[in-house]
Amino acid sequence: MRIVPFLLFFFSLSLAGLSGCSQSPGTWWKSLNDKAGRLSQAEANYKALEHEHERLKKDYFRLENDYMELRAKVESSEAGERNLKATGSLTGRSPASISYEVPKGLRSEDMLVLAYEHFHEQRFPEAAVTFESFLKRPESAALADAYALYTAGVSWFQLGNFHKAREYFEEARNSASGEQREKINKKVDLWLRTIDRKTKGGGTLGG
């Protein structure tokens, strides 16, 4: 908002019509000052609201980041409890400890669909093994994007195998490109910080 040019324009119009105006010059000048004061106050109010909007936007992004960290902590704790109950160890599952076998004869694209299906249904052992088989196939290279690597990392994290989870997270970050890069990097950084907190102190990682 620019007050000065508008006031000059308004002042010119007012002078042009002064000869036909019944108001005295003093009354007219007071009216003009009142209007200018209201416009100045409107501009000040606008700037104050703009400043408050920027502050609230920063608070929103900070709170969003805090929420993501808190959710990761909860998921991390729940994963540890599941692993302890299932395997007697907080270090999680290894591929050899999972009895699930990927159906034979699947095309790479069908195997990827199956891996995502296991993951979304929270069958993490099956998802981890299926992603593992899919990503090891040479013919899967064209389909193995950053999201597949990232989801494989989350699957292994949920099983407490932080070593394999870290490997896949870092691969996902390195392979991300275009529009997915910022989103993948943000998620990966969060999970890696969570792994660092859980493994701080030299705890054993699943292999």
Side-chain angles (χ1 to χ4, degrees):
M1 181 183 295
R2 294 293 181 267
I3 297 297
V4 173
F6 177 79
L7 285 178
L8 290 174
F9 176 71
F10 180 76
F11 182 71
S12 299
L13 289 180
S14 299
L15 286 177
L18 185 58
S19 59
C21 180
S22 59
Q23 292 179 327
S24 67
T27 302
W28 171 83
W29 186 254
K30 182 178 183 303
S31 175
L32 183 62
N33 281 335
D34 289 344
K35 291 177 181 178
R38 288 196 294 271
L39 286 172
S40 295
Q41 185 60 48
E43 183 180 33
N45 291 342
Y46 171 80
K47 289 183 177 179
L49 288 173
E50 187 177 40
H51 177 75
E52 180 67 8
H53 174 261
E54 289 299 318
R55 186 186 68 80
L56 290 173
K57 187 165 65 173
K58 291 178 182 178
D59 286 346
Y60 168 79
F61 287 127
R62 177 180 57 78
L63 290 172
E64 183 184 40
N65 186 65
D66 291 345
Y67 164 73
M68 292 179 67
E69 281 206 42
L70 181 60
R71 186 176 67 177
K73 289 179 182 179
V74 172
E75 291 176 347
S76 172
S77 176
E78 291 175 348
E81 291 175 2
R82 284 196 300 270
N83 293 330
L84 186 61
K85 183 178 179 180
T87 67
S89 170
L90 287 172
T91 60
R93 308 285 293 274
S94 65
S97 73
I98 300 173
S99 59
Y100 174 79
E101 293 185 5
V102 179
K104 299 184 183 301
L106 288 178
R107 298 177 303 171
S108 290
E109 51 265 41
D110 295 329
M111 188 178 293
L112 180 60
V113 170
L114 180 61
Y116 279 119
E117 181 180 317
H118 287 320
F119 180 82
H120 290 306
E121 294 178 0
Q122 297 188 16
R123 297 196 298 268
F124 297 117
E126 291 88 343
V129 169
T130 307
F131 274 117
E132 190 87 357
S133 299
F134 165 77
L135 293 167
K136 285 182 177 179
R137 279 187 170 188
E139 58 268 32
S140 298
L143 300 172
D145 63 1
Y147 284 115
L149 292 162
Y150 168 79
T151 310
V154 176
S155 298
W156 283 113
F157 179 93
Q158 295 292 348
L159 300 179
N161 192 323
F162 303 132
H163 177 74
K164 292 190 74 65
R166 182 186 294 277
E167 286 184 346
Y168 281 123
F169 285 142
E170 290 178 347
E171 283 189 56
R173 181 165 57 187
N174 292 334
S175 66
S177 61
E179 295 181 356
Q180 67 178 203
R181 178 185 295 274
E182 183 178 355
K183 185 179 293 186
I184 288 291
N185 286 350
K186 186 175 181 180
K187 291 181 177 181
V188 165
D189 288 344
L190 175 62
W191 286 107
L192 290 179
R193 288 200 302 270
T194 303
I195 290 174
D196 288 340
R197 285 196 300 269
K198 288 187 67 66
T199 58
K200 189 175 180 180
T204 304
L205 298 179

